[in-house]
Amino acid sequence: MQLYFAPLACSLATRIAFYEADAKAEYIQVDTKRKVLTKDNADFNAVNPLGQVPVLRLDDGSTLTENTAVLQYVAECFPQTRLMPAGGPAQARVRQWLGFIGTELHKAVYVPLLDSKASDAVKAYSRDKIKLRLDFLQSQLAGRQYLADHFTIADAYLTTILNWSRATSIDLSPWPAVADYYARMLKRPSIAKAVSEEYELYMKEK
Ligand SMILES: N[C@@H](CCC(=O)N[C@@H](CS)C(=O)NCC(=O)O)C(=O)O
């Protein structure tokens, strides 16, 4: 499989999932501002007309987009990793978290704060949403190591999004269970490796 990614973007979650599975994948870097592949300036819109990462190219040559679909596909390819519970309420709970992270955190809060084109009013609208959402995360993470009973794709995605807190000046310290969780996740070998590799690429790109 090939993963089209941008350094430290939401596609990082899929790299983490691959590292958790100890799976081979090809990583193709994308400049999402210029909509080109970094290695040869090929048109990225030809890969994904939305111009967004992640894109997963499957072994049959087709492409899969949308982070939550990509993550679930990777988890299903490597069931031994238990990155997604096999079924029932445990699986539904991980899906609930993927929905929450994707819509309530990634898109509603972090993306507008990261977007240099977002107006001050838009940023204020997003900042207003932080407290309720992080209060909820705090209540759910207190006394727990992971979002579910063990590490899942939801943790890979949440860590990827929390990793943008410094860039968006979101101080996690008022939510100690969230701050502790994030610090703990950064030490997990798959995440430490993925973050340090992509940080290097990110700095190079800058
Ligand atoms: N709905 C998409 C959103 C993905 C997304 O926002 N990707 C960002 C990077 S984190 C991106 O490629 N942004 C460039 C753009 O939107 O032009 C998903 O969930 O996968």
Side-chain angles (χ1 to χ4, degrees):
M1 281 183 277
Q2 295 174 317
L3 175 68
Y4 293 83
F5 78 100
L8 301 180
C10 54
S11 44
L12 175 69
T14 304
R15 183 188 288 269
I16 293 169
F18 276 131
Y19 288 178
E20 283 286 330
D22 211 6
K24 275 216 171 71
E26 187 186 341
Y27 298 90
I28 301 177
Q29 189 172 339
V30 176
D31 181 334
T32 50
K33 287 204 178 72
R34 295 192 301 124
K35 309 295 179 205
V36 295
L37 306 191
T38 305
K39 63 175 178 200
D40 57 7
N41 281 323
D43 180 17
F44 177 57
N45 285 324
V47 177
N48 180 6
L50 293 173
Q52 295 180 320
V53 291
V55 177
L56 192 64
R57 192 173 295 282
L58 311 185
D59 293 339
D60 67 3
S62 64
T63 54
L64 185 65
T65 60
E66 297 302 319
N67 213 9
T68 55
V70 168
L71 285 169
Q72 289 181 73
Y73 181 78
V74 171
E76 280 164 27
C77 287
F78 305 101
Q80 73 283 4
T81 59
R82 296 165 72 229
L83 283 168
M84 184 71 166
Q91 186 183 79
R93 189 69 62 202
V94 170
R95 291 211 169 106
Q96 174 195 309
W97 280 119
L98 293 174
F100 173 80
I101 298 160
T103 59
E104 301 301 330
L105 294 179
H106 180 176
K107 285 295 177 180
V109 171
Y110 282 85
V111 162
L113 296 178
L114 285 167
D115 190 341
S116 57
K117 289 192 205 125
S119 67
D120 287 349
V122 167
K123 288 189 194 293
Y125 175 84
S126 286
R127 280 209 180 275
D128 271 356
K129 293 184 177 293
I130 294 172
K131 185 175 180 322
L132 184 60
R133 283 148 187 79
L134 289 187
D135 281 353
F136 175 66
L137 254 190
Q138 166 71 25
S139 72
Q140 299 296 304
L141 282 172
R144 303 186 67 93
Q145 259 204 295
Y146 308 108
L147 289 169
D149 289 345
H150 58 272
F151 185 89
T152 66
I153 47 175
D155 297 299
Y157 192 11
L158 180 56
T159 306
T160 295
I161 301 304
L162 292 177
N163 200 41
W164 301 338
S165 298
R166 197 191 297 174
T168 50
S169 303
I170 296 178
D171 172 14
L172 295 178
S173 61
W175 300 280
V178 179
D180 288 356
Y181 166 89
Y182 172 56
R184 207 167 51 246
M185 288 299 123
L186 284 183
K187 291 192 190 132
R188 192 174 173 89
S190 64
I191 294 181
K193 175 170 152 61
V195 169
S196 80
E197 287 174 356
E198 291 209 3
Y199 181 74
E200 210 170 291
L201 295 172
Y202 176 79
M203 293 310 284
K204 237 189 236 169
E205 193 178 71
K206 275 189 128 189

